[in-house]
Amino acid sequence: MITPAPSDVLVFFGATGDLARKQIFPALYGMVLAEELDVPVVGVAFSEWGLEDLQKRARESVTAAVPDVDDAALETLIGLLRYVDGDYRDPATFAALKESVGDAHRPVHYLAIPPVMFATVIEGLAGAGLNQDARVVVEKPFGRDLASAQELDAVVRGAFPEESVFRIDHFLGKEEIMNLLYFRFANSFLEPVWNRDHIASVQITIAEDFGVQGRGSFYDSAGALRDVLENHMLQIVALLAMEPPAYQGYGAVHEAKANVFRAIRPLTRNDIVRGQFDGYRDEPGVARGSDVETYVAARLFIDSWRWAGVPWYLRTGKHLPATVHEVIVEFKKPPQALFDDAMMAQHPNHLRFRLQPDGEIALGARVKTPGEEFVGEQRELVASTGGAAARRPYERLLADAIQGDRALFTSEDSVEAAWRVVDGILTDHAPAIRYAPGTWGPTEADTLIGGDGPWHDPSLRDSNGRK
Ligand code: BG6
């Protein structure tokens, strides 16, 4: 295989925005520190800013995110910055960008902008010839639904060949998410039990204890379904549910994941509970009568040989009691009641993947309590994962995009198959149910999980006393 040539300039749209401030500048700094970034970085925005404003923003952003800033690395990053200000609908903006890009002839354009602007920017790039030998990195959500994703894809593919399109889902750049793939297929003990014969249900929680953090206007156009469930959560489902990739290589992983999305039964209104935290409608940028969900719980089924009949329960939301991402795979009970107390345990065995804030993989099992009686207690065998070496997801992903490595990006097939899962419920759903901030969302979600519940509370200490 021919190794793709690295890009020689990084252009990023949305340079004055929230994503840039919170994630992108710290990632660029990390890339400089790791000697992965030495090409010019051109910020583009429509904010009436100048280069000094952008440099100031970069300094503030890095200092706020990184504990012990390496001054030399930060100054190197500042020295790489350029800035173009202008309306994305105006060809003059792209003419100015072309000038700023100068002699570079393999740009990578990163669109850290609201999805409604994607098509405009891509057309602007093509109009100025900035798509030649270039790559484009597109943020999620890629489209608003299946139809708009297909339309957007037509625009993108009109200007860039598929191998130059990088659809980003930053969860795929997280160590803990990569570890799902690794743990499943680097071990042999899992495969015999990783199916409907042994697994009772799976729960995935992506909980956040904060609200929309000033992103009301973006969030009100997305909601939890588009913001997290359709992408981050379904990616986790795919990594857990996929068949073993047919060969060593990411093409095989992409294909195996897309096959999971294709096998997921499209969600209907009875499969979900939507919630909205009290006070959401008073957030700046949010429509007063908004019915957008800040919480969603879903029950889905994967109609495949491996997973037939196994319910997958997903929930995500803002203003929940904790910020924690966790997967619990519940195994079926032993077939015979040899020990009464063990049979009383709802799920004596589980595998728990803590993805955030700390990486952990734990196997839940019953262990006999010392004494005459055959009684025991729930314990966990725990392995910590991740750790200090973990890089910021955007650091990894942008460095990969510069190098032309598409392994951790999503394919159009996958994106469309994932939209197909949620397409019906984007419009056909019951009104969002209000919930108080700091709670686990509407109690109707308990009815949804029913006898497979209760929902696991990932903020609780486990039996070993760990949080
Ligand atoms: C983003 C969503 O994609 O992911 C946010 O837009 C969410 O609403 C965030 O908070 C969660 O990602 P992380 O990496 O901060 O846990």
Side-chain angles (χ1 to χ4, degrees):
M1 206 174 106
I2 304 164
T3 313
S7 297
D8 50 6
V9 60
L10 170 62
V11 176
F12 84 108
F13 290 82
T16 60
D18 194 56
L19 182 63
R21 183 166 58 82
K22 288 195 188 132
Q23 304 277 5
I24 309 309
F25 287 117
L28 295 176
Y29 161 84
M31 288 158 69
V32 170
L33 203 58
E35 298 182 0
E36 289 170 331
L37 181 68
D38 57 5
V39 298
V41 177
V42 187
V44 190
F46 188 28
S47 299
E48 297 187 6
W49 279 30
L51 179 59
E52 291 81 52
D53 301 305
L54 191 75
Q55 292 172 327
K56 183 162 172 276
R57 168 59 62 84
R59 280 207 177 86
E60 285 165 0
S61 152
V62 172
T63 318
V66 179
D68 292 310
V69 177
D70 178 314
D71 291 335
L74 179 55
E75 288 318 307
T76 305
L77 171 62
I78 299 296
L80 292 174
L81 292 179
R82 299 175 189 174
Y83 182 67
V84 173
D85 198 276
D87 189 333
Y88 299 157
R89 287 162 299 189
D90 184 354
T93 306
F94 293 88
L97 175 59
K98 192 158 192 179
E99 198 163 314
S100 182
V101 160
D103 291 342
H105 50 277
R106 282 190 306 277
V108 53
H109 304 289
Y110 170 37
L111 275 47
I113 52 175
V116 286
M117 298 303 297
F118 289 166
T120 310
V121 169
I122 286 167
E123 282 158 5
L125 288 170
L130 283 162
N131 58 332
Q132 297 304 318
D133 296 323
R135 304 187 167 113
V136 65
V137 181
V138 189
E139 262 298 331
K140 51 114 317 218
F142 193 75
R144 290 189 46 73
D145 52 20
L146 178 59
S148 61
Q150 286 168 331
E151 275 165 34
L152 178 58
D153 189 54
V155 173
V156 175
R157 297 289 294 280
F160 296 89
E162 173 67 11
E163 65 272 16
S164 302
V165 183
F166 293 69
R167 297 175 193 83
I168 213 165
D169 179 323
H170 79 281
F171 268 46
L172 298 181
K174 294 188 180 211
E175 279 296 326
E176 307 312 330
I177 302 285
M178 293 189 241
N179 203 14
L180 293 177
L181 178 69
Y182 186 86
F183 187 76
R184 273 201 62 199
F185 299 116
N187 296 307
S188 65
F189 70 90
L190 223 47
E191 181 57 17
V193 295
W194 206 249
N195 55 52
R196 67 195 168 91
D197 295 331
H198 297 276
I199 292 178
S201 67
V202 182
Q203 287 187 32
I204 305 176
T205 298
I206 297 185
E208 295 174 329
D209 64 3
F210 49 85
V212 293
Q213 297 186 307
R215 299 156 74 219
S217 128
F218 159 75
Y219 198 85
D220 212 38
S221 71
L225 273 167
R226 292 184 174 90
D227 188 41
V228 172
L229 189 137
E230 183 271 338
N231 32 73
H232 303 328
M233 288 199 110
L234 288 187
Q235 288 294 333
I236 295 173
V237 171
L239 289 168
L240 292 167
M242 66 195 251
E243 295 303 315
Y247 55 90
Q248 188 180 1
Y250 269 91
V253 176
H254 288 164
E255 190 52 28
K257 288 201 310 190
N259 283 339
V260 174
F261 299 138
R262 290 182 190 116
I264 296 177
R265 201 180 301 164
L267 292 168
T268 65
R269 61 188 289 141
N270 295 330
D271 298 322
I272 60 163
V273 171
R274 295 188 321 124
Q276 186 187 82
F277 66 77
D278 286 331
Y280 173 71
R281 294 175 184 181
D282 302 327
E283 294 278 346
V286 169
R288 291 305 82 146
S290 175
D291 180 49
V292 164
E293 73 286 341
T294 60
Y295 169 99
V296 63
R299 175 189 50 218
L300 63 78
F301 288 94
I302 303 170
D303 290 328
S304 68
W305 189 281
R306 185 188 289 270
W307 295 112
V310 178
W312 293 65
Y313 296 99
L314 279 42
R315 69 179 168 162
T316 181
K318 304 274 185 201
H319 272 316
L320 301 186
T323 297
V324 57
H325 304 179
E326 196 163 87
V327 175
I328 291 267
V329 179
E330 307 272 20
F331 289 91
K332 292 185 173 170
K333 288 185 183 196
Q336 198 188 354
L338 293 179
F339 310 108
D340 292 343
D341 73 315
M343 291 314 283
M344 277 157 60
Q346 160 88 330
H347 295 293
N349 300 130
H350 66 248
L351 200 55
R352 185 170 64 80
F353 298 92
R354 170 75 69 114
L355 307 172
Q356 207 160 300
D358 42 351
E360 208 168 72
I361 298 179
L363 178 64
R366 291 194 71 76
V367 178
K368 185 180 171 302
T369 313
E372 281 175 27
E373 303 294 323
F374 275 88
V375 293
E377 56 184 343
Q378 283 301 130
R379 300 291 292 271
E380 281 193 332
L381 313 172
V382 184
S384 292
T385 61
R391 296 160 73 196
R392 289 169 197 279
Y394 277 103
E395 200 177 312
R396 167 76 191 256
L397 294 171
L398 291 177
D400 283 0
I402 288 176
Q403 293 302 326
D405 180 349
R406 301 175 69 226
L408 298 178
F409 294 83
T410 48
S411 63
E412 175 58 16
D413 277 4
S414 270
V415 168
E416 288 190 13
W419 276 121
R420 248 180 221 110
V421 173
V422 299
D423 211 43
I425 50 159
L426 293 174
T427 48
D428 181 14
H429 50 232
I433 302 160
R434 306 288 283 271
Y435 63 94
T439 66
W440 280 107
T443 49
E444 283 76 356
D446 298 333
T447 315
L448 183 77
I449 198 167
D452 292 320
W455 290 97
H456 179 75
D457 181 345
S459 62
L460 288 183
R461 290 188 171 273
D462 67 29
S463 54
N464 300 335
R466 292 184 179 81
K467 207 149 181 211

